[in-house]
């Protein structure tokens, strides 16, 4: 909204400086986007009197003029045909930037100095006359800026209006806010109705067929007018807010639009067939040519203004080509109406047409301001057009709009705003914007919002009005008392983070795959038909077939990631994922969502040739990684066994992980058939751990234990056993004897020799003994160790190497 400060002062006494006014407007919710002087170039233009005019010695059409501003004389070269001694004209001084962008400089024209330029109206942007210099009135003050001499000095303020504040899309609307800010009264323009013509009744009529789209329609008739240019005050007012003067009648409608925010339309009364107005909905496919000369196809929800034969305007948006004001118009019917905002907004979007009128109708105009606007327009048209106003007016208002009666609780408002305002103070600020306020008691106000504020419909809206009018900067700043307390991290989350950090330290990269996978990728794992993982939750509207089910394992996603990397020549991989899988539960609508940890290793053990060789990762690498992860949980009784192996692992290089007799994961080399099904060109080692199970088995962190005082004693046991005997079984048996002095058992060697016969191997076990109370003797240890050896040899039918 462009506001002329000079125009604004017609309705309110502005007691603030421009800077303070801009600040206060912004603080009440009307953001000011820019402030500028009107016609700033006129600061360098002054009225001067021509003292003498002599012919130019070297140019037939130029003159040498001496002009005076009353104190100083200037030499000016001028080619205007009407320049003569004694006239007063505007002189643009050197340094002035003209409306066309040219910056004047003192110059020599055909050898003669010119200290400026005598200007025409068009050169100054103040008119269309370019036939000669602008001859100013003889009584005008000399030597002062032309804008001040002509009394056209003005400040233009550009205000950004939010969609809910349609009442501020007018000079009066802004003046109302300024009056509330300054505590000054608002002066509405006086309307003097001289109804000298015959009565309008019987000569024109209005029928509303759609009272929903058009709740109110008013009209007045002015006869005997003469179409011509507008008076200076009217042209200057419109030009100040960026509107071009057209003629006196159209300019009045635009003046009321900007002054009151009420769009009007002036019809050539003689072109209205049957001299009547009908407001109706369009028929689907009906065509109509608007003022811009475009024929438009209408919709069945388009609101039309029609005469006795057909449409003459699209309601609230634009008039028609056949009923516009022309130079021969002598009788004008003025339309002033209230149209339903949603109806106008919908029509404007459908037909792709917007106007200043529709912009205001879409945001809601004042239904009660319809009559005030039509009366003022009729009075102004009679004044500037020399016409006669017909007696009476038409006002069709079949269903008057009822305005809400709101209750404002003072204590609640103060609690919301953090203020301590009295009821009387709240009533004062609400009355300043023309609300009807009545104090019921010390804590309640009864408020009826004015008709131009349809955005106020609830108590909280009144609270907002109190806040912005009192001043947001007047609301005290308080800080809530908040107890700062850091909540401990969720233990499960903390363990997930520790596992991630450990794997990252071991050279792994974390990947995050989609929770959606393809059913086929699960089948490629060669799972048994009764395996629950083959019966996942199905996605109703999958993005693609490859994302049709919820994953029941992290392995397919990791294998597809590996294939993608292989395709980009990244053959040495260590990646993992720690996330949820979705396992169906019998009789349950929703699946279980346990966390699982899975990873794959492939390629060289040390990819960088400078630090490593050509060795590739194997089962032992994956086992070491898994053991490091399990160490985070301080588990007891962890063992690896070749039982309960998944079908997608090579049984010769795989193991299941057990803790306390409970299965918690697997690791091993990917089976060749599975590798081929996933189109993988390299061997892959896979590990998978049920993270939730491991977390539930987690032991407490061991406390500090002092270093042993007494030395250990080590003894070896090298057994020759059957090839198919697992290394773990003798290890478990030795621990199972619960020898008090046995501190540690580990495998130190596996050896095969053909001399022992087919299907035999040697496994070396190192047993470490220690007492916390004394040093052990060789004889004591030998007796204990010999006993353990005899038991192992007997149980496993082994021999010593």
């Amino acid at each position: 909204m462009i506001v002329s400060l000079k125009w604004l002062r017609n309705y309110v006494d502005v007691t603030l400086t421009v800077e303070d006014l801009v600040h206060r407007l912004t603080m009440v919710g009307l953001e000011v986007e820019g402030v500028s002087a009107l016609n700033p170039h006129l600061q360098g233009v002054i009225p001067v009197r021509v003292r003498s005019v002599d012919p130019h010695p070297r140019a037939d059409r130029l003159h040498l003029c001496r002009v005076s501003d009353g104190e100083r004389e200037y030499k000016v070269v001028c080619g205007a045909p009407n320049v003569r001694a004694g006239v007063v004209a505007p002189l643009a001084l050197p340094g002035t930037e003209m409306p066309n962008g040219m910056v004047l400089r003192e110059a020599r024209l055909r050898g003669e100095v010119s200290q400026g330029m005598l200007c025409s109206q068009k050169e100054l942007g103040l008119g269309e006359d370019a036939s000669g210099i602008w001859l100013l009135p003889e009584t005008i003050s000399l030597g002062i800026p032309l804008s001040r001499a002509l009394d056209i000095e003005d400040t233009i303020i550009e205000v950004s209006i939010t969609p809910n504040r349609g009442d501020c899309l007018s000079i009066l609307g802004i003046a109302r806010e300024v009056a509330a800010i300054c505590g000054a009264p608002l002066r509405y323009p006086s309307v003097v109705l001289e109804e000298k013509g015959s009565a309008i009744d019987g000569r024109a009529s209005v029928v509303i067929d759609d009272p929903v789209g058009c709740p109110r329609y008013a009209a007045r008739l002015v006869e005997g007018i003469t179409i011509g240019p507008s008076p200076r005050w009217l042209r200057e007012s419109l030009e100040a807010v960026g509107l071009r003067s057209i003629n006196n009648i159209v300019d009045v409608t635009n003046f009321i639009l900007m002054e009151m925010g009420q769009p009007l339309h002036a019809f050539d009364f003689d072109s209205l067939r049957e001299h009547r107005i009908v407001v109706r909905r369009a028929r689907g496919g009906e065509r109509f040519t608007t003022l811009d000369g475009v024929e438009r196809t209408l919709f069945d929800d388009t609101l039309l203004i029609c005469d006795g034969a057909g449409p003459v305007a699209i309601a609230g948006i634009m008039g028609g080509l056949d009923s516009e004001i022309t130079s021969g118009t002598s009788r004008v019917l003025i339309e002033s109406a209230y149209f339903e905002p949603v109806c106008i907004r919908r029509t404007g979007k459908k037909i792709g047409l917007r106007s200043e009128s529709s912009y205001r109708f879409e945001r809601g105009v004042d239904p009660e301001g319809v009559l005030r606007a039509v009366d003022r327009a009729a009075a102004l048209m009679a004044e500037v057009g020399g016409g006669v106003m017909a007696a009476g007016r038409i006002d069709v208002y079949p269903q008057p709009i009822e305005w809400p009666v709101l209750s404002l609780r003072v204590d609640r408002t103060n609690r919301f705003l953090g203020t301590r305002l009295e009821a009387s103070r709240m009533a004062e600020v609400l009355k300043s914007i023309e609300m009807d306020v009545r104090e019921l008691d010390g804590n309640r106000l009864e408020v009826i919002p004015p008709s131009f504020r349809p955005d106020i419909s609830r108590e909280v809206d009144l609270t907002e009005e109190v806040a912005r009018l009192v001043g947001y900067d007047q609301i005290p700043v308080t800080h809530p008392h908040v107890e700062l307390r850091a909540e401990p991290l969720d233990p499960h989350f903390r363990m997930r983070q520790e596992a991630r950090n450990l794997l990252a330290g071991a050279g792994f990269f974390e990947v995050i795959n989609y929770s959606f996978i393809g059913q086929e990728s699960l089948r490629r794992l060669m799972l048994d038909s009764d395996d629950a993982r083959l019966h996942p939750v199905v996605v109703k509207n999958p993005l693609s077939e490859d994302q049709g089910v919820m994953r029941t394992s992290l392995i397919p996603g990791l294998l597809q990631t590996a294939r993608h990397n292989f395709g980009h020549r990244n053959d040495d991989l260590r990646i993992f994922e720690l996330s949820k899988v979705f396992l169906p539960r019998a009789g349950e609508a929703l699946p279980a969502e346990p966390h699982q940890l899975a990873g794959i290793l492939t390629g060289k053990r040390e990819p960088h040739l400078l630090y490593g060789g050509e060795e590739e990762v194997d089962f032992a690498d994956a086992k070491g990684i898994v053991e490091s992860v399990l160490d985070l949980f301080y588990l007891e009784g962890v063992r690896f066994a070749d039982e309960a192996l998944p079908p997608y692992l090579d049984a010769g290089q795989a193991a299941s992980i057990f803790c306390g007799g409970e299965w918690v994961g697997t690791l091993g080399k990917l089976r060749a058939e599975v590798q081929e099904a996933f189109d993988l060109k390299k061997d892959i080692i896979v590990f998978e751990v049920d993270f939730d199970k491991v977390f539930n088995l987690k032991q407490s962190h061991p406390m500090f234990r002092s270093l042993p005082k007494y030395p250990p004693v080590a003894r070896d046991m090298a057994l020759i056993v059957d090839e198919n005997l697992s290394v773990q079984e003798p290890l478990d048996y030795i621990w199972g004897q619960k020898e008090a002095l046995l501190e540690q058992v580990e495998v130190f060697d596996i050896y095969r020799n053909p001399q022992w016969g087919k299907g035999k191997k040697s496994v070396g076990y190192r047993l470490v003994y220690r007492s916390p109370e004394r040093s052990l003797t060789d004889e004591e240890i030998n007796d204990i160790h010999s006993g353990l050896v005899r038991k192992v040899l007997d149980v496993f039918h082994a021999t010593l190497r």
Side-chain angles (χ1 to χ4, degrees), residues 499-509 574 576 601 605 621 624-625 628-629:
R500 288 186 174 101
N501 293 337
L502 185 147
L503 288 168
F508 280 75
F509 288 93
R574 290 192 180 198
F576 77 93
L601 300 85
R605 181 172 288 119
D621 293 290
I625 292 297
S628 298
V629 172

Side-chain angles (χ1 to χ4, degrees), residues 144-166:
I144 63 175
L146 184 62
S147 55
R148 192 188 313 165
L150 294 176
D151 193 24
I152 57 174
E153 271 189 322
D154 201 356
T155 298
I156 303 302
I157 303 174
E158 189 172 351
V159 184
S160 177
I161 307 297
T162 54
N164 65 316
R165 294 302 307 272

